[in-house]
Amino acid sequence: MVNVQTLSDTFTPFDVKYAGLIPEIPSDIDPSGRTDLLKVLDQGKKDGQILTPETGGLTMDAVLGINAYSIRITDKQSEEILLCAPVHMIASVGFVKEEGLNILPIKIGEIDGSKGVYDLAVIYCKTSDIAEMICNILGQCFQLVYQEATMQCFDESRGDRPPAVDIFSHKSLTVSSASRTNDGPEGPSFISGSRSDLSRLPAARRTNAHLHSSTTPSESDRVSSGHPNELIQEYLSMLSSTLTHEELRQFAVLIKRWRGENLPFPEFIQKVLELYGSERKHLLARMRPFVHGPEDIRFFNRFLDKAGISENAESSLASNSPASDSLYRRCKLLMCRPTLENVFTRTVLV
Amino acid sequence: MIMNEDAYLGSMTYQSLYAGVLDKLEPRSEAAVQQLRIALRHADDRSPSFLLDLTKHILAKSQLNVNLQESFLRLQATAPTDDLQLSNPHPAYQELSLRAVALRKVLSRVPDEMGDRRTFLETIKEIASSIKKLLDATNTILQTVPSNAQPAVEKRKREFVHYSKRFSNTLKEYFKDQNANHVAVSANQLIFQTSFIVKTVREKTRNL
């Protein structure tokens, strides 16, 4: 067990080999189901989505950092962030020993309407002790996240409204001193190491499909999927994975000013766009749950059109890069409702 | 608002420790038990916390190592519920009564369940739901009681909210420092506030 304060304040590092990310695995895959899991891994290898030592392919030395609120995998040499995901998006983690390999699959979840869609990050550990330690610590993290969510639910029962931006109180993106060098002026590039790869980011493509793209105020008033509060929480969770700590702070200030009627909506949206920058402007499209009132909605729709922002992010993406080529640089932002009900069954040792 | 231990435990001593035991003894000798019951209640009414002091005295003499706060909380599970009943048959009053009983019962499970984090978190969710239902019932009552009773009931409601917030803070501290006794104290205070709401409604609507 790691001290809770340490877990909250820093990233606990482990040397691992990162094999890559298998996208869109069947939602019923259970890390304790050895056969199913190995089938997924085999398919992933065949499709070139993950690389294994025995293929002689690219498995580099990486560092898995675990924080109470997020995990990240960084290239040990370049310190480039290869993967980053909030803990509440992790559906499960498992450990499979196979032919001398200690395989740690991390199922990262995304719920699209009524069905779950998951990706599987595949990590190899040097020893089984390390794999078990990672599982135990992640179990601890799941507990912490669930605990906080439970207490938030408790506080809401009294009629206490959760702070609009309470997600920012989580130091989910606190970069430990070991990896701080990865932060450039625009913050950690969670997406990939190079600017050109950002266009390949399938930024929450599935949840974007939920958002109504109609421009008529009456239709845009409706939320086509999910409770508005849930959508807002999902958006804030996504931001916490995308923006730097300073950017999150600036976003919080803008929201407060706008909600406090100190900042007109048009100006607010403009400033948010400036904060996100052109590479992240697609994030603006997902702010629809924040927007209310026919006038603001009309402005919002016109603003998106003028800024060339499509609500269907997938349509603006370039085709995926060949896995063999840049798989190790691929990083994906996933949106997922916390599956807190089964959080304690997540950590499984096989 | 700081509640003295004697104040909240004292007011719950008869109901939590003695009422149930007296009910069990009654079949053996109804008259004697009834006499004892009257005497104990009379003494407690005249000298608040009398029964609590008596209990502490007995415990000291017994040299048993008993955590009073935890024991009180556990015993709330089997305490008779007549103190939380309201005679007014109006659904709003009965609902308040029902919610008060339910909250006391779920809070009484805390000592047994706090050892297992997973179970405890589920219990906390139940407590949250129970608190919400009690507050909803109190809000309904506020619309039902006469206007001269509303300020007193409103005040009880505010105090209840204050102590439920304190309970929440205690839980968060417990997750860090594992101090179970603070949780028991806070839970007992919340139970006291729950019964105080019912008692106030009863007293303010006595002649209706």
Side-chain angles (χ1 to χ4, degrees):
Chain A
M1 295 270 276
V2 176
N3 175 270
V4 169
Q5 204 57 49
T6 306
L7 211 51
S8 297
D9 293 346
T10 61
F11 280 88
T12 304
F14 292 93
D15 287 340
V16 298
K17 288 189 186 300
Y18 179 48
L21 191 75
I22 304 175
E24 299 179 26
I25 63 166
S27 61
D28 55 354
I29 282 290
D30 180 354
S32 67
R34 185 193 190 91
T35 310
D36 284 349
L37 178 67
L38 292 177
K39 269 188 203 164
V40 168
L41 294 182
D42 283 339
Q43 193 59 47
K45 286 177 216 170
K46 278 184 197 154
D47 295 342
Q49 288 158 338
I50 57 166
L51 299 160
T52 57
E54 71 269 17
T55 65
L58 186 66
T59 52
M60 69 246 302
D61 286 324
V63 177
L64 167 66
I66 302 176
N67 172 267
Y69 304 106
S70 67
I71 63 165
R72 67 169 70 175
I73 300 174
T74 51
D75 184 318
K76 204 170 180 183
Q77 218 170 3
S78 68
E79 295 190 344
E80 178 188 333
I81 294 179
L82 308 173
L83 181 83
C84 181
V87 165
H88 72 262
M89 293 186 191
I90 298 174
S92 60
V93 62
F95 168 34
V96 173
K97 269 185 96 78
E98 179 70 15
E99 294 175 1
L101 294 173
N102 299 298
I103 310 170
L104 204 80
I106 302 178
K107 190 170 149 190
I108 303 173
E110 178 175 346
I111 293 183
D112 176 8
S114 59
K115 59 184 193 304
V117 181
Y118 297 92
D119 295 345
L120 197 74
V122 182
I123 288 170
Y124 297 107
C125 299
K126 202 170 180 179
T127 66
S128 55
D129 285 346
I130 292 172
E132 287 180 19
M133 205 181 310
I134 291 170
C135 287
N136 288 335
I137 291 175
L138 277 172
Q140 211 181 331
C141 294
F142 295 153
Q143 200 174 79
L144 281 171
V145 167
Y146 189 42
Q147 195 172 284
E148 287 202 14
T150 301
M151 291 315 301
Q152 188 170 325
C153 163
F154 185 92
D155 290 337
E156 285 171 15
S157 70
R158 294 194 315 271
D160 276 5
R161 294 177 123 204
V165 287
D166 66 320
I167 193 83
F168 303 124
S169 67
H170 292 171
K171 295 178 191 173
S172 57
L173 295 184
T174 299
V175 180
S176 65
S177 55
S179 53
R180 189 169 280 283
T181 52
N182 205 40
D183 286 357
E186 277 140 25
S189 64
F190 294 127
I191 316 306
S192 80
S194 77
R195 191 106 0 247
S196 62
D197 283 343
L198 287 174
S199 63
R200 290 171 185 164
L201 175 71
R205 60 181 184 269
R206 281 179 278 277
T207 51
N208 264 351
H210 290 312
L211 297 175
H212 217 288
S213 58
S214 166
T215 55
T216 59
S218 58
E219 286 175 300
S220 298
D221 269 335
R222 282 186 286 117
V223 176
S224 58
S225 169
H227 193 276
N229 282 342
E230 287 171 358
L231 289 171
I232 289 171
Q233 282 297 322
E234 284 174 8
Y235 186 78
L236 294 174
S237 298
M238 181 187 68
L239 285 190
S240 72
S241 300
T242 314
L243 304 183
T244 64
H245 196 69
E246 175 56 26
E247 287 170 336
L248 284 172
R249 192 195 64 78
Q250 288 175 31
F251 181 79
V253 168
L254 287 173
I255 284 273
K256 278 181 183 168
R257 285 182 60 198
W258 172 45
R259 291 298 202 198
E261 296 178 3
N262 294 324
L263 189 66
F265 180 71
E267 215 178 306
F268 163 74
I269 279 293
Q270 180 61 42
K271 286 190 182 302
V272 170
L273 179 61
E274 287 165 11
L275 178 68
Y276 290 168
S278 57
E279 277 108 9
R280 295 179 301 187
K281 66 181 183 179
H282 57 274
L283 297 176
L284 209 61
R286 303 200 53 216
M287 282 196 68
R288 191 170 288 281
F290 287 86
V291 186
H292 300 286
E295 205 179 304
D296 284 354
I297 289 169
R298 268 196 295 273
F299 181 87
F300 184 68
N301 293 331
R302 281 199 304 270
F303 190 87
L304 291 184
D305 284 342
K306 206 172 158 188
I309 299 170
S310 165
E311 287 192 64
N312 181 1
E314 192 168 22
S315 66
S316 65
L317 298 175
S319 56
N320 286 339
S321 60
S324 59
D325 163 338
S326 61
L327 183 66
Y328 73 96
R329 296 206 282 164
R330 190 170 153 208
C331 181
K332 193 169 171 181
L333 284 177
L334 302 172
M335 288 300 301
C336 167
R337 275 176 57 199
T339 53
L340 296 174
E341 286 76 14
N342 62 357
V343 67
F344 287 102
T345 62
R346 288 177 179 181
T347 308
V348 177
L349 301 180
V350 175
Chain B
M1 285 181 246
I2 297 174
M3 245 197 292
N4 175 273
E5 181 182 271
D6 285 355
Y8 64 93
L9 284 189
S11 72
M12 299 193 298
T13 306
Y14 176 81
Q15 200 69 22
S16 305
L17 300 191
Y18 292 89
V21 170
L22 291 172
D23 286 348
K24 281 185 186 169
L25 287 174
E26 198 157 16
R28 292 191 196 182
S29 175
E30 192 176 334
V33 168
Q34 185 64 355
Q35 204 171 3
L36 184 58
R37 187 183 282 125
I38 292 171
L40 288 175
R41 295 206 81 154
H42 185 68
D44 211 34
D45 286 341
R46 280 297 189 96
S47 179
S49 306
F50 163 75
L51 283 178
L52 178 65
D53 292 338
L54 176 65
T55 305
K56 284 180 180 175
H57 187 70
I58 294 171
L59 279 174
K61 285 280 182 188
S62 70
Q63 295 183 331
L64 290 171
N65 184 18
V66 171
N67 182 313
L68 204 61
Q69 291 284 349
E70 186 185 305
S71 301
F72 257 88
L73 190 52
R74 283 180 199 280
L75 286 166
Q76 304 284 5
T78 50
T81 58
D82 55 290
D83 60 323
L84 297 178
Q85 301 297 337
L86 291 164
S87 58
N88 192 320
H90 189 289
Y93 290 80
Q94 296 308 306
E95 175 71 5
L96 179 68
S97 197
L98 193 72
R99 295 304 167 202
V101 169
L103 179 57
R104 185 162 78 182
K105 255 200 153 53
V106 72
L107 282 168
S108 73
R109 286 163 37 196
V110 165
D112 284 333
E113 293 177 1
M114 65 198 311
D116 178 74
R117 187 60 58 93
R118 179 181 187 174
T119 308
F120 191 34
L121 289 176
E122 295 307 310
T123 305
I124 289 170
K125 281 160 67 175
E126 273 190 64
I127 294 171
S129 170
S130 225
I131 285 174
K132 184 173 187 320
K133 287 175 181 168
L134 181 68
L135 283 172
D136 288 343
T138 308
N139 286 332
T140 306
I141 277 285
L142 275 166
Q143 289 163 20
T144 314
V145 296
S147 53
N148 61 352
Q150 284 170 357
V153 178
E154 181 66 49
K155 188 175 181 210
R156 295 289 94 80
K157 179 191 152 189
R158 280 199 307 271
E159 287 164 357
F160 176 83
V161 169
H162 170 82
Y163 278 94
S164 62
K165 186 173 171 65
R166 183 178 273 200
F167 182 64
S168 164
N169 292 340
T170 310
L171 288 174
K172 290 169 191 166
E173 286 304 313
Y174 169 73
F175 291 133
K176 292 178 193 166
D177 63 19
Q178 304 294 299
N179 189 327
N181 197 57
H182 288 168
V183 176
V185 167
S186 195
N188 279 323
Q189 289 173 339
L190 193 57
I191 289 173
F192 169 75
Q193 291 298 332
T194 303
S195 61
F196 206 1
I197 290 177
V198 175
K199 186 178 169 189
T200 302
V201 169
R202 185 187 298 121
E203 284 173 359
K204 291 296 179 185
T205 59
R206 197 186 297 276
N207 297 323
L208 289 183

